[in-house]
Amino acid sequence: MKREKLKAKIIPLGGTNEIGKNMTAIEFKDDIIVIDSGLKFPEEDMFGIDIVIPDITYLLKNKDKVKGIFLTHGHEDHIGALPYVLKQLNIPIYGTKLTLGIVESKLKEHGLLSTTERIVVKPKDVIKLDSVSVEFIKTNHSIADSVAIAIHTPMGVILHTGDFKIDYTPIDGEVIDLARFAELGKKGVLALLADSTNVERPGYTMSESIVGDNFLKMFAKAKGRILVATFASNIHRIQQIITAAQENERKVAVSGRSMENIVQVAIELGYLQIDKEVLITLDNINKYPNDKLVIITTGSQGEPMSALARMASSEHKKINIVEGDLVVISATPIPGNEKFVSRIVNQLFKKGAEVIYESIAGVHVSGHACQEELKLMHTLTKPRYFIPVHGEYRHLKQHGELAVKLGLPPKNFLIPENGDVIEITRDNLRKNGTVISGNVFVDGLGVGDVGNIVLRDRKHLSQDGILTVVVTIERESGNVIAGPDIISRGFVYVRESEDLMDQAKEIVKSVLRQCEENKVSDWATMKSNMKNELRVFLYEKTKRKPMILPIIMEI
Amino acid sequence: MKREKLKAKIIPLGGTNEIGKNMTAIEFKDDIIVIDSGLKFPEEDMFGIDIVIPDITYLLKNKDKVKGIFLTHGHEDHIGALPYVLKQLNIPIYGTKLTLGIVESKLKEHGLLSTTERIVVKPKDVIKLDSVSVEFIKTNHSIADSVAIAIHTPMGVILHTGDFKIDYTPIDGEVIDLARFAELGKKGVLALLADSTNVERPGYTMSESIVGDNFLKMFAKAKGRILVATFASNIHRIQQIITAAQENERKVAVSGRSMENIVQVAIELGYLQIDKEVLITLDNINKYPNDKLVIITTGSQGEPMSALARMASSEHKKINIVEGDLVVISATPIPGNEKFVSRIVNQLFKKGAEVIYESIAGVHVSGHACQEELKLMHTLTKPRYFIPVHGEYRHLKQHGELAVKLGLPPKNFLIPENGDVIEITRDNLRKNGTVISGNVFVDGLGVGDVGNIVLRDRKHLSQDGILTVVVTIERESGNVIAGPDIISRGFVYVRESEDLMDQAKEIVKSVLRQCEENKVSDWATMKSNMKNELRVFLYEKTKRKPMILPIIMEI
């Protein structure tokens, strides 16, 4: 085999130029390795959509090559699309113990547990495939058991960091395997794909253990009940809350479905250490005085249906916020969620709780590497080519610039877009075509049945509502038998707008008369005339543009 | 008159427990002074609403007492509701020159200029009314010509700071009149109402002049065209951009309707100093090399229709972003706007521009007082009573706590809610009843004609769309003459859902048959049966809940 013929393809199917929906296909000869399979939460203009998942047309077309999905960690933006992908593509999934533990409860819900092959791996494990082998490398992140993935090819290693930070004092004592990254760097990393989330932040991300120190201090001072909201998946954070509770002889109860699930999984798998008598159920909290209680809850993003939101609005069945409660929101609002969090903070304050939240430092740290950590990763791995991933364009671009500052030749990095086929040979990096990619909307049971037309209609309806015009016409004679009737929803107060509706009806009648006079008997023209005349009339009267839906029934 | 009988009422009609929509009524004997008349931009669940204004029922009921609207400054959240208020209540408005200059272009748009009495005031001016007199006091803020308002009553001064910061080196050299605040404090401030926006931030707000220094450095280094986006109303910021441009021998052009308006007003009124040959029109920018140009533009909040957004998406008619452009976003995103700003930053980066934005310090400072400045204000004015305003509950509460730390007895402050009647006597502060208050929605030409039912419908429509069922029935016989027809919008792709629609039609038919069999001839029951059966069926099939609108036409 000639050396020059060797090439690998890297195809981001999600996670570039966006936050979330992470999925990357790496192809070498007859092997396609899929790294992660994440979801994205809908943007505000994706009305009614529950979640967004990657388009996997390319994988379906190349089914026979796809050897498995290799998971870096158990966050929704890396595993959330799995059930939808696995329904179309029954392939093995590889992940560490906790990651697969979280995945399993998801698969159970979708009835996929028995049909999905799951391979538990640990850092340093290597999975040998036909032409490549896949190695897992310990990293740190805001969830336990996260790994980077190294794909060994004859051309060199293609290294995907996954989400990572460098934590010298992680809660489980498992420091990111810097030595292995250095070793790979020495051996020769062909291409590095690295997390760009925090590239705009100078310096280092603080260690998770800082948060624990602050919890200890805070808990020691608290005189009433303590409630801490955080991400359910942040096992280390939860461990630190538990530790601080135990140190202060407080019992711990857990609220919120996802929190209960994950805490259970984590205890079963040995990722959470808690004395048996410390963990109590919510039903039992009233048996203990307030100053002997810590409640760990979901809702740190202000999600309107979450346990914390229900407590704040007095809709929680078992917990009522009272004066003297200390509520700690141990998270930073994800852009777009600030207002939700703010609403809850106000409600909690109104109920007399003391609230510690974002602006006050020390109760949250990021899970992503800042600039100095990224520099360390680049310096250790010394990749020939660099492809920034996990970020919006501005992050990817700035990550590329950071690499160039560290000595990477500018032509050796490129900013990927979802669907790009990035071709790597030993001496060249280039985009060579694209594959189908994009957003697939999940709405209720429908996957992909809501597209741009439906969304456009929902947006239109949300702005000015709808006005339906119905008329029954006798086919033969063209005579109006019933109607026109006009019914509106979301447009104006019906009661206060009778005049407007009467006038609108007159306009429809006059359109019908004109059509009769001009012997127009095709319904499409008639409808379009109604629409146009009504649109002009309503806009003039109200400066609003409701959707106008004319319906002609014929007998 | 007995001393004990004297009392004043303070009634916040907007701006407490919310950001924006600022309006406070202060009542003493037969005088009602209205301070500001602001709008609020709609929250994300106020679908289709353009702006939100205060409910002024109380003012309308007490028309004869209302002596005027006294404006603190020209920001929308303090003047934006004026046209709507003045249409119902023709009273004089008092404001400084720039404030009224901005108000006037607004009144012109609404055809109110000739019918509105406008009194230009300047700091230290005192307006004498029947039982009180109203004094204007110079402050600093992110707009020129801002003032605090002191209402002198026989019981002492009621002092409203308006939005303020303390800037020792403001651009126009006009430092907040600290001496007058101290003097009033010495004389005896009965009640202080103060801006709470930045109460969560420790320390001091930086001086506006810091931004100018950074512009100078940045402009001196720039090699291509410079575009700066900022709030149109921030005249001082605009002055500093102009100054930095002139220093660097660059011409200045202005883009965006509100920016053009305000720059024109500010130049006419003498608030902006610019050499005549420096200001050029957008049509002439191509006559100058890129490194001789600065463009000041709207869009610093990422507003989708703004000039900057149009430049970023290549929809601006006169400006095309090119490689080498430096774009400075001289603002911080207001919560909720982060994603809009982020989208534009990504687009600008993609076009090859260098972008300086929020995370990078020094191109923006806040217009509101931080903790140390608030402490100074409290310490100088030494109020007997304190009522925090301009903020959400958490801000108001923390502002109260700050005052208490400075020595205010806790019973001498209270957290107001819109509509509260706060009664003040020489020796007592209490809430005594409420008046009608709240949000009035402006949608197109409609003011107040969109309420909760319409909004609820719009929300429902936005989530899952609508399904209209139409059937024509002969009244006499109860026979179905035409239909049922089913038309949906925003629910599912119609083409891909023919089966579902056919099944839905069968369900409607069976409801109609049942009704016939049971001799149900009242349409309401028939419609409600259709709705219920369809709702269950559609939810089972799709897990969605579209609005279902049954229409029965009778002949």
Side-chain angles (χ1 to χ4, degrees):
Chain A
M1 192 194 295
K2 283 200 228 161
R3 276 182 68 146
E4 303 81 61
K5 285 279 169 77
L6 286 181
K7 70 178 174 212
K9 289 185 203 167
I10 297 176
I11 306 170
L13 293 172
T16 74
N17 292 297
E18 66 184 341
I19 301 288
K21 211 183 96 200
N22 295 296
M23 183 180 233
T24 311
I26 296 179
E27 192 168 343
F28 184 76
K29 290 187 179 168
D30 288 333
D31 288 328
I32 294 181
I33 310 300
V34 179
I35 297 181
D36 291 332
S37 177
L39 62 73
K40 179 165 84 166
F41 293 103
E43 318 257 320
E44 53 277 25
D45 55 355
M46 297 174 183
F47 290 102
I49 298 303
D50 300 325
I51 62 170
V52 183
I53 58 172
D55 186 322
I56 57 162
T57 305
Y58 180 74
L59 301 181
L60 295 175
K61 278 193 186 158
N62 293 279
K63 245 182 223 205
D64 299 338
K65 288 189 176 182
V66 183
K67 295 297 150 57
I69 301 177
F70 294 74
L71 301 171
T72 58
H73 63 286
H75 278 157
E76 287 293 343
D77 55 336
H78 293 256
I79 64 164
L82 270 180
Y84 306 94
V85 171
L86 290 170
K87 273 175 199 162
Q88 299 175 75
L89 198 62
N90 187 3
I91 47 173
I93 53 177
Y94 298 82
T96 53
K97 197 162 69 166
L98 181 67
T99 305
L100 287 188
I102 295 170
V103 165
E104 276 162 19
S105 54
K106 203 173 271 290
L107 296 182
K108 216 178 279 172
E109 267 177 42
H110 286 261
L112 288 165
L113 195 59
S114 60
T115 54
T116 306
E117 189 186 348
R118 306 178 308 277
I119 298 103
V120 178
V121 297
K122 38 183 205 316
K124 296 190 198 293
D125 279 1
V126 176
I127 306 291
K128 284 197 191 313
L129 301 172
D130 293 342
S131 57
V132 300
S133 57
V134 183
E135 177 187 354
F136 298 86
I137 305 169
K138 172 79 201 160
T139 59
N140 298 127
H141 187 41
S142 48
I143 185 168
D145 244 11
S146 61
V147 287
I149 290 175
I151 298 170
H152 295 265
T153 79
M155 297 157 64
V157 170
I158 297 173
L159 177 62
H160 192 305
T161 64
D163 288 356
F164 82 101
K165 68 187 276 191
I166 294 170
D167 193 338
Y168 298 110
T169 54
I171 304 316
D172 56 3
E174 304 273 352
V175 180
I176 178 172
D177 191 352
L178 294 173
R180 183 59 185 153
F181 286 108
E183 202 170 13
L184 290 177
K186 214 165 170 189
K187 216 173 118 185
V189 169
L190 180 66
L192 173 69
L193 289 78
D195 179 10
S196 311
T197 311
N198 268 353
V199 69
E200 292 176 334
R201 299 199 199 168
Y204 287 93
T205 304
M206 290 211 293
S207 170
E208 178 64 33
S209 54
I210 296 286
V211 179
D213 296 345
N214 286 325
F215 282 156
L216 278 175
K217 283 180 215 156
M218 208 175 276
F219 285 24
K221 270 194 269 173
K223 294 198 170 59
R225 192 165 54 169
I226 300 171
L227 298 100
V228 189
T230 191
F231 291 106
S233 61
N234 198 336
I235 309 292
H236 290 157
R237 187 71 47 85
I238 295 169
Q239 179 66 65
Q240 299 200 93
I241 301 166
I242 291 171
T243 306
Q246 292 187 164
E247 289 270 327
N248 287 281
E249 288 170 5
R250 286 175 180 256
K251 302 288 180 191
V252 174
V254 170
S255 178
R257 204 172 65 101
S258 61
M259 188 64 83
E260 289 165 29
N261 283 346
I262 293 213
V263 165
Q264 198 192 328
V265 169
I267 291 178
E268 278 168 16
L269 298 181
Y271 285 86
L272 266 183
Q273 317 306 327
I274 181 165
D275 296 344
K276 257 191 195 156
E277 69 285 0
V278 171
L279 191 66
I280 61 170
T281 66
L282 278 191
D283 290 320
N284 284 330
I285 55 174
N286 294 326
K287 295 185 184 158
Y288 301 90
N290 282 343
D291 64 354
K292 291 290 166 224
L293 282 174
V294 172
I295 294 162
I296 307 177
T297 174
T298 53
S300 62
Q301 290 297 313
E303 304 92 323
M305 301 302 295
S306 66
L308 185 64
R310 284 182 282 124
M311 293 175 206
S313 61
S314 304
E315 285 161 27
H316 196 287
K317 283 181 193 151
K318 294 174 183 169
I319 302 172
N320 197 15
I321 298 292
V322 293
E323 189 139 0
D325 281 346
L326 170 67
V327 182
V328 182
I329 298 179
S330 177
T332 300
I334 293 166
N337 290 347
E338 294 88 351
K339 286 204 167 183
F340 294 121
V341 175
S342 196
R343 187 175 300 174
I344 288 185
V345 170
N346 286 322
Q347 289 172 325
L348 293 169
F349 266 125
K350 268 192 201 170
K351 290 184 174 296
E354 189 187 343
V355 193
I356 311 283
Y357 53 105
E358 48 147 343
S359 352
I360 295 105
V363 296
H364 180 65
V365 294
S366 171
H368 298 274
C370 290
Q371 286 170 6
E372 294 307 309
E373 292 155 273
L374 293 174
K375 288 179 192 167
L376 178 52
M377 181 58 80
H378 283 265
T379 303
L380 289 179
T381 57
K382 291 178 293 184
R384 183 171 312 158
Y385 303 118
F386 173 54
I387 300 160
V389 291
H390 299 353
E392 298 176 11
Y393 190 88
R394 60 193 169 111
H395 302 113
L396 305 181
K397 181 168 162 83
Q398 290 174 68
H399 200 174
E401 285 167 0
L402 178 142
V404 169
K405 272 186 201 154
L406 295 172
L408 188 87
K411 68 174 182 34
N412 286 10
F413 105 86
L414 53 76
I415 299 178
E417 290 195 54
N418 294 337
D420 278 343
V421 177
I422 300 168
E423 214 178 75
I424 299 185
T425 60
R426 278 206 174 84
D427 46 23
N428 192 27
L429 168 80
R430 63 162 184 161
K431 291 190 186 184
N432 187 11
T434 56
V435 304
I436 292 174
S437 72
N439 289 334
V440 173
F441 299 129
V442 179
D443 178 7
L445 294 181
V447 179
D449 69 337
V450 168
N452 290 333
I453 297 174
V454 173
L455 285 188
R456 194 195 57 198
D457 282 352
R458 286 183 185 171
K459 184 173 183 183
H460 188 171
L461 290 166
S462 78
Q463 292 303 298
D464 288 318
I466 188 168
L467 193 107
T468 307
V469 185
V470 204
V471 57
T472 308
I473 298 183
E474 196 179 51
R475 176 82 245 181
E476 288 292 308
S477 63
N479 291 339
V480 173
I481 302 293
D485 284 0
I486 294 187
I487 297 110
S488 82
R489 287 290 183 274
F491 171 48
V492 287
Y493 260 146
V494 178
R495 265 195 228 162
E496 290 180 8
S497 310
E498 279 174 21
D499 268 12
L500 187 74
M501 289 306 167
D502 285 346
Q503 291 173 49
K505 212 180 265 185
E506 286 309 315
I507 282 171
V508 176
K509 281 182 188 166
S510 101
V511 170
L512 289 168
R513 269 197 306 275
Q514 277 166 30
C515 286
E516 211 181 334
E517 280 162 23
N518 302 330
K519 309 235 177 281
V520 174
S521 60
D522 98 84
W523 300 158
T525 308
M526 211 180 264
K527 284 185 196 174
S528 122
N529 288 354
M530 284 184 205
K531 258 179 139 162
N532 292 339
E533 302 254 330
L534 279 176
R535 187 189 301 123
V536 171
F537 167 74
L538 294 173
Y539 187 71
E540 194 188 293
K541 288 285 179 185
T542 66
K543 289 273 180 293
R544 295 180 203 167
K545 296 175 179 174
M547 182 180 284
I548 297 169
L549 184 63
I551 304 173
I552 295 176
M553 310 201 69
E554 58 173 39
I555 61 169
Chain B
M1 192 195 295
K2 284 200 230 160
R3 277 184 66 147
E4 303 82 61
K5 284 279 169 74
L6 287 180
K7 70 178 175 212
K9 289 185 203 166
I10 297 175
I11 305 171
L13 293 172
T16 74
N17 294 295
E18 65 184 342
I19 301 287
K21 211 181 98 201
N22 295 295
M23 182 180 236
T24 311
I26 297 180
E27 193 168 343
F28 186 76
K29 292 188 179 169
D30 287 332
D31 288 327
I32 293 180
I33 309 301
V34 179
I35 298 182
D36 291 333
S37 178
L39 62 74
K40 178 167 85 168
F41 292 102
E43 318 257 320
E44 53 277 24
D45 55 356
M46 297 174 183
F47 289 103
I49 299 302
D50 300 324
I51 62 170
V52 184
I53 59 173
D55 187 322
I56 57 162
T57 305
Y58 179 74
L59 301 181
L60 295 175
K61 278 191 186 159
N62 293 278
K63 244 183 221 201
D64 298 340
K65 288 188 174 182
V66 183
K67 296 297 151 58
I69 301 177
F70 294 75
L71 302 171
T72 58
H73 63 285
H75 278 156
E76 287 292 344
D77 55 337
H78 293 256
I79 63 163
L82 271 179
Y84 306 95
V85 171
L86 291 170
K87 273 174 199 163
Q88 298 176 76
L89 198 62
N90 188 4
I91 47 173
I93 53 177
Y94 298 83
T96 53
K97 196 163 67 165
L98 181 67
T99 305
L100 286 188
I102 296 170
V103 165
E104 276 162 19
S105 54
K106 203 172 271 291
L107 296 183
K108 216 178 280 173
E109 268 177 41
H110 286 260
L112 288 164
L113 196 57
S114 60
T115 55
T116 307
E117 189 186 347
R118 306 178 308 277
I119 299 104
V120 179
V121 297
K122 37 183 206 318
K124 298 190 197 292
D125 277 2
V126 177
I127 306 290
K128 283 196 194 312
L129 301 172
D130 292 343
S131 58
V132 301
S133 58
V134 183
E135 177 189 352
F136 298 87
I137 305 169
K138 172 80 202 160
T139 59
N140 298 127
H141 187 42
S142 47
I143 186 169
D145 244 11
S146 62
V147 288
I149 290 174
I151 298 169
H152 295 266
T153 80
M155 298 155 65
V157 170
I158 298 173
L159 177 62
H160 192 305
T161 64
D163 288 355
F164 82 102
K165 68 186 278 190
I166 294 170
D167 193 338
Y168 299 111
T169 54
I171 302 318
D172 56 4
E174 302 274 352
V175 179
I176 177 171
D177 191 351
L178 294 173
R180 183 58 185 154
F181 287 108
E183 204 170 11
L184 290 177
K186 215 165 171 190
K187 215 173 120 186
V189 169
L190 180 67
L192 173 69
L193 289 77
D195 179 9
S196 310
T197 312
N198 268 353
V199 69
E200 291 176 335
R201 300 200 200 166
Y204 288 93
T205 305
M206 289 210 293
S207 169
E208 178 66 31
S209 55
I210 295 286
V211 179
D213 296 345
N214 287 325
F215 282 157
L216 278 174
K217 283 182 214 154
M218 209 176 275
F219 284 26
K221 270 194 269 174
K223 295 199 169 58
R225 191 166 54 171
I226 300 171
L227 298 101
V228 189
T230 192
F231 292 106
S233 60
N234 199 335
I235 309 292
H236 290 157
R237 187 72 46 86
I238 295 169
Q239 180 66 64
Q240 299 200 93
I241 300 166
I242 291 171
T243 307
Q246 292 186 163
E247 289 270 329
N248 287 280
E249 288 169 4
R250 286 174 181 256
K251 302 289 180 191
V252 174
V254 171
S255 178
R257 204 172 65 102
S258 60
M259 188 64 83
E260 288 164 30
N261 283 346
I262 294 213
V263 165
Q264 198 192 328
V265 169
I267 291 178
E268 278 167 16
L269 298 180
Y271 285 86
L272 266 183
Q273 316 307 328
I274 180 165
D275 295 345
K276 258 192 194 153
E277 70 284 2
V278 171
L279 191 66
I280 61 170
T281 66
L282 278 191
D283 289 320
N284 284 330
I285 55 173
N286 293 327
K287 294 186 183 158
Y288 301 90
N290 282 342
D291 64 353
K292 291 291 166 221
L293 282 173
V294 172
I295 294 162
I296 307 177
T297 174
T298 54
S300 63
Q301 291 297 313
E303 304 92 322
M305 299 303 294
S306 65
L308 185 63
R310 284 181 281 126
M311 291 175 207
S313 61
S314 303
E315 285 161 26
H316 196 288
K317 283 181 193 152
K318 294 173 183 169
I319 303 171
N320 197 15
I321 299 292
V322 294
E323 188 138 3
D325 281 346
L326 169 68
V327 182
V328 181
I329 298 180
S330 177
T332 301
I334 294 166
N337 290 347
E338 295 86 351
K339 286 203 169 182
F340 294 121
V341 175
S342 196
R343 188 175 300 174
I344 288 186
V345 170
N346 286 322
Q347 288 172 326
L348 293 170
F349 266 125
K350 269 193 203 172
K351 289 184 174 296
E354 189 187 342
V355 193
I356 310 286
Y357 53 105
E358 50 148 341
S359 352
I360 295 106
V363 296
H364 179 65
V365 296
S366 171
H368 299 274
C370 290
Q371 286 170 6
E372 295 306 309
E373 291 155 275
L374 294 174
K375 288 180 193 166
L376 178 53
M377 181 58 80
H378 283 264
T379 303
L380 290 179
T381 57
K382 291 179 293 184
R384 182 172 311 157
Y385 304 118
F386 172 55
I387 300 159
V389 291
H390 300 353
E392 298 176 11
Y393 190 89
R394 60 194 168 108
H395 301 112
L396 305 181
K397 181 166 162 88
Q398 290 174 67
H399 200 175
E401 285 167 359
L402 177 142
V404 169
K405 271 187 203 154
L406 295 172
L408 189 86
K411 68 174 181 38
N412 287 9
F413 104 85
L414 54 75
I415 298 177
E417 290 196 54
N418 294 337
D420 277 344
V421 178
I422 299 167
E423 213 178 75
I424 298 185
T425 60
R426 278 206 173 83
D427 44 24
N428 192 28
L429 169 79
R430 63 162 183 161
K431 291 190 186 184
N432 187 12
T434 55
V435 305
I436 292 175
S437 72
N439 288 334
V440 172
F441 299 129
V442 178
D443 179 7
L445 294 181
V447 179
D449 68 336
V450 168
N452 290 333
I453 297 173
V454 173
L455 285 187
R456 193 195 59 199
D457 282 351
R458 286 183 185 170
K459 184 174 182 181
H460 187 171
L461 290 166
S462 79
Q463 291 302 300
D464 288 319
I466 188 167
L467 192 108
T468 308
V469 185
V470 205
V471 56
T472 308
I473 298 183
E474 197 179 51
R475 177 83 245 181
E476 289 291 309
S477 63
N479 291 338
V480 173
I481 302 293
D485 283 0
I486 293 187
I487 297 110
S488 82
R489 287 290 184 275
F491 171 49
V492 286
Y493 260 146
V494 178
R495 264 196 231 160
E496 290 179 8
S497 310
E498 279 175 19
D499 268 11
L500 187 75
M501 289 306 166
D502 286 346
Q503 291 173 49
K505 212 180 265 185
E506 286 308 316
I507 283 171
V508 176
K509 281 183 188 165
S510 100
V511 171
L512 289 168
R513 270 197 305 275
Q514 278 165 30
C515 286
E516 210 181 338
E517 280 162 23
N518 302 330
K519 310 237 177 278
V520 174
S521 60
D522 99 82
W523 300 160
T525 310
M526 211 180 262
K527 283 186 197 172
S528 124
N529 290 353
M530 284 185 204
K531 255 178 140 165
N532 293 339
E533 302 253 330
L534 278 177
R535 186 190 301 123
V536 171
F537 166 74
L538 293 174
Y539 188 70
E540 195 189 293
K541 288 286 180 185
T542 65
K543 289 273 180 290
R544 294 179 205 170
K545 297 175 178 173
M547 182 180 283
I548 297 168
L549 184 63
I551 304 173
I552 295 176
M553 310 201 69
E554 59 174 38
I555 62 169

